[in-house]
Amino acid sequence: MSASRYAYLGPEGTFTEAALRSMPEAATRELVPMVSVPVALDAVRSGAAAAALVPIENSVEGGVTATLDELATGEPLMIYREVLLSISFALLVRPGTALADIKTVTGHPVAQPQVRNWLAANLPDALWESAASNADGARLVQEGRYDAAFAGEFAASRYGLEPLVTDIHDAQNAMTRFVLAGRPARPAARTGADKTSVVIWLGDDHPGALLELLQEFSARGVNLMRIESRPTGEGIGRYCFSVDCEGHITDRRVGSALMGLKRICPKVRFLGSYPRAGVTAEDLAELRHGTSDEAFTEAAEWLARCQDGRA
């Protein structure tokens, strides 16, 4: 395995590359662009890269399905950390292009919902076609296949383009969340401001099946931060659930919830416990009464006394 190599969703000039370069360790790694999320993650599985940074969630569009599906299938991977990046688009064009000249535009599919209103107001007749990434859209404009691309302004110089319009976003404070995925290993030490990710499969479809999963978290005071259903490919109505929850697997409440899920579900895939980006333990509210590690320990000791006749 190349321990010095990190893969990412390329080509050069993507928001993913910008997020990766914001990590201090990126300065000492070889950063290798890949053509898609599956290819980037497969580079980790094959040992060609130590880890890969890929987008997983956008505050406007929601989950990045390619990443969610790839983490749920194939050889297991684990999330080491997450990175948040503010997203604002520029309309990149070849030098000399005016707004009135633009008949075709391109960008990543996740970008379209973030610029839809701007497009309707400023380029209502322009034809949109999706690209593998925003930077790949810039490359296609450079090659003359489209008139303009929505990408990060930082991508303009890499592809010989000009930012005709900058700071384009329909939603203020739009963010994209990226995750650094690697081979399974012992999770990073608990920080007190952590997140745990899992994929859960239902055993069978029956009334209250989803509620049973949610109760494993609720009964232990574990807050869910995201839950999304994804088709398993086994037929209509067959789904798995991608879940992020607050806490670390070594927290008694989280570990107990995961054990509860493992008892009632045919399959649970642990994707990692890792520090939450931009959050510290001091930022979090106090745990609900009865859900701390101390409360679990006291309850276990009480049960042991009862079993020994010492209650």
Side-chain angles (χ1 to χ4, degrees), residues 164-300:
L164 184 62
V165 185
T166 61
D167 198 27
I168 300 172
H169 46 72
D170 289 350
Q172 294 289 332
N173 304 316
M175 302 281 292
T176 293
R177 175 178 163 237
F178 302 84
V179 292
L180 186 70
R183 304 278 292 186
R186 183 182 293 274
R190 178 183 180 276
T191 68
D194 303 288
K195 180 182 294 185
T196 293
S197 298
V198 293
V199 185
I200 309 163
W201 280 258
L202 288 175
D204 58 84
D205 188 14
H206 61 270
L210 178 57
L211 178 60
E212 291 172 4
L213 303 186
L214 298 179
Q215 285 176 330
E216 295 296 330
F217 294 102
S218 176
R220 296 165 176 86
V222 178
N223 184 43
L224 295 188
M225 306 179 71
R226 181 185 61 84
I227 179 168
E228 296 187 48
S229 62
R230 294 296 305 150
T232 63
E234 300 172 354
I236 296 295
R238 302 291 293 175
Y239 290 90
C240 62
F241 295 88
S242 176
V243 175
D244 294 335
C245 69
E246 287 184 345
H248 193 277
I249 192 172
T250 59
D251 294 333
R252 295 287 294 272
R253 67 188 186 282
V254 176
S256 179
L258 297 185
M259 285 193 294
L261 291 169
K262 185 61 179 174
R263 288 198 310 270
I264 65 174
C265 299
K267 184 179 178 182
V268 179
R269 175 171 283 195
F270 173 64
L271 294 180
S273 291
Y274 46 93
R276 292 175 57 182
V279 178
T280 67
E282 290 71 24
D283 299 325
L284 302 180
E286 289 188 11
L287 293 176
R288 200 178 77 197
H289 176 71
T291 64
S292 67
D293 279 8
E294 291 76 11
F296 273 85
T297 299
E298 290 175 5

Side-chain angles (χ1 to χ4, degrees), residues 1-7 30 32 34 39-52 75-77 181-183:
M1 177 184 294
S2 178
S4 64
R5 180 177 295 171
Y6 279 3
E30 178 188 359
V32 184
M34 299 292 178
V39 172
L41 294 177
D42 280 344
V44 180
R45 293 184 171 112
S46 69
E75 187 178 345
L77 296 171
R183 304 278 292 186

Side-chain angles (χ1 to χ4, degrees), residues 128-184:
W128 170 283
E129 291 194 23
S130 294
S133 68
N134 296 310
D136 192 55
R139 179 184 63 81
L140 295 174
V141 172
Q142 180 190 44
E143 295 175 355
R145 295 172 60 180
Y146 298 99
D147 298 324
F150 286 98
E153 186 176 355
F154 48 80
S157 60
R158 297 192 184 207
Y159 295 97
L161 304 177
E162 294 179 349
L164 184 62
V165 185
T166 61
D167 198 27
I168 300 172
H169 46 72
D170 289 350
Q172 294 289 332
N173 304 316
M175 302 281 292
T176 293
R177 175 178 163 237
F178 302 84
V179 292
L180 186 70
R183 304 278 292 186

Side-chain angles (χ1 to χ4, degrees), residues 69-92:
D69 292 346
E70 192 67 21
L71 290 175
T73 59
E75 187 178 345
L77 296 171
M78 200 170 85
I79 298 171
Y80 295 161
R81 62 177 295 180
E82 65 178 7
V83 179
L84 299 179
L85 186 71
S86 297
I87 302 296
S88 179
F89 294 92
L91 188 67
L92 306 186

